[in-house]
């Protein structure tokens, strides 16, 4: 079984394991729900990792699936107990991206394509505040402060000396040209981006306008992988009202192929640093037109 991880990842992996056991027995979720005398949506929520699984749920499901290996059952029940724990982000109420934060916190690597804005993990406080402030519906000052605090807390993953996140980021040129927060904020942001790209565990590439049409035109995406299950990647698609997570191996493979294509079309890391430096200079002594 996987090593200890945060509750979000634990729930999703436990749910996937329970789904595998059900399908191995040739049972439909409606049949399992009927035998447990619960609703079918509950079984779906458990298998999709949308809710914590109790050890009792695991015990009852293992009985239905005729699992006899007690050591295996015990490991699933321990995973269930851990799935009910709270991550550092849970005290912050109203976070729409809490599921993603849970995955990001435990990820070993992250491949992100950003077509319009600098990724949150690479944002300066001023840039992040400007982005958060444009959320619809408009957030209150207190909500902006809370979301900013959470975003900066997320960045601990790339500064963690024990296990820094291996981060690849392909940024469309639009993300560098779009003036967020004003010229001074943009110059500081690009200088910060260049400094981070010099870190050995962070790779930044710029996809210039000259690259023309490419597979990333459909929008941003990120591929997360985990140390204790690198083959079990998760694709994150951020949407306006709700996020989408893809875990089917065929879907993950498709997005990995798309990312490889974007990296091949983008400037090399060294050329990207030069490009970012040149773009940062354009924000010196400039003003935003009214």
């Amino acid at each position: 079984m996987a090593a200890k991880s945060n509750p979000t990842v634990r729930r999703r992996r436990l749910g996937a394991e329970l789904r595998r056991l059900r399908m191995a027995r040739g049972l439909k979720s409606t049949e399992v729900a009927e035998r447990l005398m619960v609703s079918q949506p509950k079984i779906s929520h458990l298998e999709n990792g949308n809710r914590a699984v109790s050890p009792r749920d695991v015990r009852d499901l293992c009985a239905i699936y005729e699992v006899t290996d007690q050591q295996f059952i015990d490991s699933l029940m321990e995973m269930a107990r851990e799935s009910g724990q709270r991550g550092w982000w849970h005290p912050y109420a109203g976070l729409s991206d809490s599921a993603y934060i849970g995955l990001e916190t435990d990820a070993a690597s992250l491949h992100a394509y950003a077509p319009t804005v600098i990724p949150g993990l690479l944002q300066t406080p001023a840039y992040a505040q400007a982005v958060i402030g444009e959320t619809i519906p408009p957030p209150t000052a207190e909500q902006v402060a809370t979301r900013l605090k959470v975003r900066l807390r997320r960045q601990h993953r790339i500064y963690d000396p024990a296990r820094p996140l291996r981060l690849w980021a392909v940024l469309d040129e639009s993300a560098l040209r779009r003036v967020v927060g004003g010229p001074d904020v943009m110059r500081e942001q690009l200088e910060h981006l260049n400094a981070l790209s010099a870190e050995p565990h962070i790779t930044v590439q710029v996809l210039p306008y000259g690259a023309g049409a490419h597979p990333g035109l459909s929008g941003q995406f990120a591929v997360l992988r985990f140390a204790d299950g690198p083959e079990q990647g998760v694709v994150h698609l951020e949407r306006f009202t709700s996020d989408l997570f893809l875990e089917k191996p065929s879907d993950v493979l498709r997005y990995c192929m798309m990312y490889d294509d974007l990296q091949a079309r983008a400037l090399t890391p060294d050329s990207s640093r030069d490009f970012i430096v040149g773009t940062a200079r354009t924000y010196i002594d400039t003003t935003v037109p009214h």
Side-chain angles (χ1 to χ4, degrees):
M1 299 303 297
K4 283 192 176 183
S5 57
N6 73 58
T8 299
V9 174
R10 218 52 171 164
R11 280 201 305 271
R12 297 178 76 84
R13 294 189 184 170
L14 177 56
E17 189 65 24
L18 294 174
R19 184 188 306 113
R20 184 189 68 79
L21 293 172
R22 174 177 61 78
M23 296 180 69
R25 295 298 303 168
L27 294 172
K28 297 180 180 179
S29 60
T30 51
E31 295 175 301
V32 175
E34 183 177 353
R35 292 177 65 173
L36 283 181
M37 294 185 290
V38 299
S39 67
Q40 188 278 332
K42 176 179 178 177
I43 302 301
S44 295
H45 285 313
L46 294 182
E47 293 186 351
N48 292 330
N50 293 330
R51 60 181 293 177
V53 185
S54 72
R56 179 175 179 176
D57 288 332
V58 169
R59 183 198 62 193
D60 293 345
L61 288 169
C62 284
I64 292 175
Y65 303 149
E66 300 181 14
V67 179
T68 58
D69 185 337
Q70 190 58 49
Q71 184 176 358
F72 180 68
I73 295 174
D74 289 343
S75 67
L76 291 181
M77 293 179 69
E78 176 62 22
M79 192 184 293
R81 282 187 283 271
E82 292 172 359
S83 76
Q85 297 173 359
R86 292 165 61 85
W88 65 261
W89 57 93
H90 283 111
Y92 300 96
L95 291 180
S96 61
D97 54 352
S98 60
Y100 173 74
I101 294 174
L103 294 172
E104 181 186 80
T105 299
D106 200 57
S109 68
L110 170 63
H111 292 72
Y113 168 62
T116 56
V117 296
I118 307 298
L121 291 177
L122 303 175
Q123 292 176 1
T124 64
Y127 184 97
Q129 184 169 0
V131 171
I132 294 169
E134 294 302 320
T135 303
I136 297 296
T140 64
E142 182 179 1
Q143 289 172 328
V144 170
T146 297
R147 294 174 192 176
L148 178 60
K149 184 175 182 179
V150 171
R151 184 159 306 183
L152 298 181
R153 174 63 178 80
R154 285 171 49 199
Q155 295 179 359
H156 288 191
R157 281 296 285 111
I158 62 174
Y159 297 113
D160 186 345
R163 58 181 194 101
L165 178 69
R166 181 66 178 96
L167 174 61
W168 285 265
V170 174
L171 312 181
D172 192 277
E173 184 175 343
S174 297
L176 309 182
R177 301 291 185 189
R178 183 176 304 280
V179 182
V180 174
D184 290 340
V185 171
M186 285 302 301
R187 184 174 67 253
E188 178 192 41
Q189 173 61 72
L190 296 187
E191 290 171 349
H192 178 67
L193 181 64
N194 236 11
L196 289 178
S197 70
E199 295 291 333
H201 60 288
I202 299 176
T203 301
V204 176
Q205 291 180 257
V206 175
L207 189 64
Y209 292 144
H214 56 78
L217 291 178
S218 58
Q220 73 82 37
F221 66 90
V223 181
L224 303 98
R225 292 192 181 277
F226 307 89
D228 56 357
E231 73 287 351
Q232 299 177 349
V234 177
V235 176
H236 172 238
L237 303 176
E238 185 177 355
R239 295 296 181 259
F240 183 70
T241 55
S242 61
D243 291 355
L244 181 63
F245 297 94
L246 307 178
E247 299 181 73
K248 287 176 53 179
S250 58
D251 290 335
V252 176
L253 177 60
R254 180 176 181 179
Y255 276 90
C256 286
M257 293 173 63
M258 288 174 58
Y259 199 86
D260 288 344
D261 186 277
L262 292 173
Q263 284 190 301
R265 295 170 186 255
L267 300 176
T268 66
D270 288 341
S271 296
S272 294
R273 280 192 286 271
D274 293 337
F275 191 96
I276 294 170
V277 168
T279 306
R281 288 173 180 158
T282 67
Y283 292 113
I284 298 176
D285 298 326
T286 61
T287 57
V288 181
H290 296 286

